[in-house]
Amino acid sequence: MDDFGRLPPDDYQLAGQVHHRLRRAHQRASAIFIDLIGDSLLTPTQWAALATLYARVRCRRTSSVG
């Protein structure tokens, strides 16, 4: 039997749950990203991927010059 539809115990505290804290941290990080980057069409994940690719290309160019 699943737990869907069952009420949580009276002493259940959502703020103390790990999944709730992780979700809140993700929301905060996303808000900071939007504040710093601005209203972009890129998501934080897409921006991180592009930044990683840029760093790798720059690193290869630097190492091939010397």
Side-chain angles (χ1 to χ4, degrees), residues 27-58:
Q27 290 173 335
R28 178 73 175 127
S30 294
I32 291 170
F33 172 82
I34 290 171
D35 286 345
L36 292 174
I37 301 300
D39 188 19
S40 175
L41 296 176
L42 293 175
T43 66
T45 304
Q46 291 169 331
W47 188 88
L50 288 174
T52 300
L53 290 172
Y54 175 77
R56 286 185 180 181
V57 169
R58 202 173 101 201

Side-chain angles (χ1 to χ4, degrees), residues 2 6 9 13 17 19 22 26 29 32 49 52-53 58:
D2 61 27
R6 186 184 303 174
Q13 294 183 7
Q17 301 300 311
H19 59 84
L22 288 171
H26 180 265
I32 291 170
T52 300
L53 290 172
R58 202 173 101 201

